[in-house]
Amino acid sequence: MKGADELPAMEAGRNPFNPYFVEQIDLDAFCKSVESDKMSSVDVVVPCFRYGHFLRECVESVLTQSGPELRVLIIDDASPDNTAEVAKELVGSDLRVNYRRHTSNQGLIATANEGIAWVKANYMLLLSADDYLLPGALNRSADLMDDHPSVAFTFGGAVVVDQRGERSRHRTGVGSRTHVLSGLDFIALSGARNIVLSPTVVVRTSLQKRVGGYLADLPYASDMEMWLRLAAHGDVGVIAADQAVYRSHSANMSSEPSRELDLLQRKAAIDHFLNSCAARLTNADDLRAWLIHMSALEAIGCASAAFNEGAMESSARLSKLAVSIDPSVQRTRRWWFLACKKALGLRGWLLVRPSVEWFRSIFQIQRR
């Protein structure tokens, strides 16, 4: 789920929410299980439903990785296609590949949680069968986590392939150098958006098992909630490289929700995170207020985008949703900018839009 608005403004080297964060978890307790004199290991869980035609490329992208010891754990969620045939061929050709099949479809979240229970390696990755890794991805993540035992998970850039085969790069929050963020810095960077694509995420297994699995009542935002939950328990490693290829197509769960449902799911993810991690946060109410305000700003951004598309009813619903999330959003520049667009009407706005966007680009350049 990729947002279109700007990230929350945050001065370099500063985090406005440090007062709200309790001291990081004592990671030494669970990091002692990682023996420094042994090569790190990574278990890659591959949930697969109707992706038999993608499965071989996905698994081979893992098996050709250099560095850590590897296992591939394929979970066939009762696919009606040729998934079983492809998986059995892969098992027969490489001892590192393991396979199990459901007798009935369990859904992605239940399958992902089964994978979490199955893994045993130092680190783990959930890799949907329609995605695949880029060379060196696991080595980069494992090296960073070996060097920084406080890191709960790593993420990096991705190449996004759409239904037409066109490629773009997703680099939100990645930057130009590999570095480690505090958990709260990551939360502040994310705001009310999911800035991370899941095939780039490698998690410290011991912590993943400790915090638990994905939430079934968040089918469209369970990954966002998980990143926030993990960040409340440790640091976050940012890999300044493209780690995976993410396919964006109509069969993806993330392509299904409407703007309204997406926003409601993200709001629910934030609520789950704050409620479950309250013991790790001081002044949690202040952090909650900020995240709720950011959610309302996201809703206004979506309302503005819907207006540009001529979807006036959707724009009105999204504006109403923004106010229901946080009434103070009516005092923001985004709200008044949308109000000005409504006053001009769609035709008038489309006439002046090029000039407005030109002035905004000049202003942004001057601010840099």
Side-chain angles (χ1 to χ4, degrees):
M1 287 160 282
K2 311 169 185 69
D5 292 338
E6 296 179 357
L7 292 172
M10 189 168 61
E11 294 180 31
R14 293 186 59 194
N15 184 333
F17 297 109
N18 276 336
Y20 308 146
F21 204 62
V22 170
E23 185 180 18
Q24 293 283 332
I25 189 172
D26 182 8
L27 292 174
D28 291 339
F30 70 80
C31 288
K32 286 179 181 177
S33 62
V34 182
E35 300 179 26
S36 59
D37 59 335
K38 292 184 179 180
M39 181 182 294
S40 295
S41 57
V42 181
D43 281 348
V44 179
V45 178
V46 181
C48 188
F49 181 66
R50 292 181 173 171
Y51 287 154
H53 54 299
F54 290 132
L55 182 58
R56 184 177 298 278
E57 182 178 28
C58 172
V59 172
E60 289 180 349
S61 78
V62 178
L63 297 176
T64 55
Q65 295 284 312
S66 60
E69 296 179 356
L70 300 171
R71 275 200 316 163
V72 178
L73 312 177
I74 303 170
I75 306 180
D76 179 355
D77 196 18
S79 294
D81 61 5
N82 66 334
T83 292
E85 177 184 343
V86 175
K88 289 174 183 177
E89 291 175 357
L90 290 165
V91 169
S93 64
D94 197 307
L95 294 175
R96 295 174 294 174
V97 181
N98 299 262
Y99 172 66
R100 62 173 62 166
R101 177 177 170 84
H102 294 159
T103 56
S104 61
N105 184 263
Q106 304 296 307
L108 178 58
I109 290 179
T111 303
N113 288 339
E114 179 182 342
I116 291 172
W118 192 0
V119 297
K120 297 178 181 178
N122 303 128
Y123 311 124
M124 64 163 291
L125 164 65
L126 281 169
L127 182 65
S128 178
D130 58 330
D131 301 327
Y132 61 92
L133 298 182
L134 292 172
L138 296 183
N139 198 35
R140 287 187 287 269
S141 293
D143 282 351
L144 183 63
M145 298 176 86
D146 287 345
D147 292 341
H148 300 276
S150 64
V151 169
F153 72 94
T154 64
F155 76 98
V159 176
V160 179
V161 180
D162 66 19
Q163 296 185 78
R164 297 169 295 181
E166 295 183 0
R167 296 182 170 227
S168 61
R169 299 180 75 196
H170 179 88
R171 302 277 297 181
T172 305
V174 172
S176 59
R177 62 181 181 84
T178 294
H179 60 286
V180 175
L181 290 171
S182 72
L184 195 60
D185 281 335
F186 172 80
I187 294 167
L189 181 64
S190 299
R193 294 170 53 191
N194 181 9
I195 66 171
V196 175
L197 289 183
S198 58
T200 75
V201 175
V202 177
V203 183
R204 195 174 297 276
T205 301
S206 52
L207 180 58
Q208 179 70 81
K209 289 180 179 287
R210 182 172 181 172
V211 303
Y214 292 84
L215 300 175
D217 57 344
L218 293 174
Y220 303 116
S222 59
D223 51 354
M224 173 182 172
E225 190 277 336
M226 180 59 75
W227 314 149
L228 295 173
R229 199 190 328 162
L230 288 167
H233 289 79
D235 296 334
V236 178
V238 185
I239 308 293
D242 291 334
Q243 294 284 84
V245 172
Y246 173 84
R247 285 192 172 95
S248 177
H249 52 84
S250 59
N252 287 26
M253 282 187 69
S254 59
S255 68
E256 294 176 8
S258 64
R259 283 180 171 129
E260 293 97 317
L261 179 55
D262 176 40
L263 287 163
L264 288 170
Q265 283 274 292
R266 283 192 270 160
K267 172 64 165 51
I270 289 169
D271 289 340
H272 273 288
F273 154 66
L274 289 169
N275 292 336
S276 66
C277 297
R280 306 200 53 74
L281 303 167
T282 59
N283 296 329
D285 288 343
D286 292 337
L287 181 55
R288 183 187 300 272
W290 181 77
L291 287 171
I292 287 174
H293 186 67
M294 295 307 297
S295 298
L297 288 177
E298 285 286 309
I300 287 299
C302 289
S304 187
F307 180 91
N308 292 348
E309 296 165 3
M312 300 308 174
E313 291 184 4
S314 176
S315 180
R317 288 195 305 270
L318 288 162
S319 296
K320 186 176 180 180
L321 176 59
V323 175
S324 70
I325 292 172
D326 180 11
S328 72
V329 76
Q330 296 172 94
R331 299 192 295 271
T332 65
R333 284 181 295 178
R334 287 193 192 183
W335 177 273
W336 286 107
F337 185 64
L338 177 56
C340 290
K341 288 162 64 173
K342 290 178 179 178
L344 287 169
L346 181 59
R347 181 177 296 181
W349 162 243
L350 293 177
L351 287 172
V352 303
R353 182 179 181 181
S355 298
V356 172
E357 293 185 346
W358 183 81
F359 279 111
R360 290 176 73 179
S361 66
I362 294 299
F363 179 72
Q364 290 172 355
I365 292 171
Q366 290 177 342
R367 288 183 65 183
R368 293 174 192 159

